[in-house]
């Protein structure tokens, strides 16, 4: 018996952390992680208290957060 497909609500909200504007990614009202811009034009994606991961684009950061969330759920 297969599971029915359920819609997944993904939200990207603007946040300010330590005076720096960034993004917060949520899936079904559960905060997954944050994306913060770096001075050199790249971004840092961080899940909870884990070490931040540096990526080149904001889209890569979003993909990283969603992929990591899917691995653990």
């Amino acid at each position: 018996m297969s599971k029915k497909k359920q819609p997944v609500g993904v939200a990207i909200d603007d946040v300010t952390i330590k005076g720096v504007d960034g993004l917060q990614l949520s899936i079904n009202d559960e905060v997954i992680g944050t994306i913060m811009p770096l001075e050199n034009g790249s971004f840092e994606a961080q899940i909870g208290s884990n070490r931040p991961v540096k990526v080149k684009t904001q889209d890569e950061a979003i993909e990283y957060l969603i992929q990591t969330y899917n691995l653990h759920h």
Side-chain angles (χ1 to χ4, degrees):
M1 193 175 204
S2 64
K3 293 183 181 182
K4 291 183 180 180
K5 292 183 180 180
Q6 297 178 349
V8 177
V10 177
I12 301 173
D13 302 308
D14 294 326
V15 294
T16 301
I17 300 173
K18 297 180 184 176
V20 179
D21 293 333
L23 300 174
Q24 178 175 288
L25 183 81
S26 304
I27 296 179
N28 292 333
D29 296 327
E30 178 185 350
V31 175
I32 303 305
T34 57
I35 301 168
M36 303 303 288
L38 299 174
E39 292 179 6
N40 62 1
S42 60
F43 294 85
E44 276 188 344
Q46 184 171 8
I47 297 176
S49 61
N50 292 347
R51 239 180 169 167
V53 174
K54 292 182 182 177
V55 294
K56 292 181 182 179
T57 67
Q58 190 173 8
D59 289 340
E60 284 182 39
I62 292 170
E63 287 179 24
Y64 169 77
L65 293 176
I66 292 173
Q67 286 175 355
T68 303
Y69 173 81
N70 284 334
L71 285 175
H72 297 289
H73 287 86

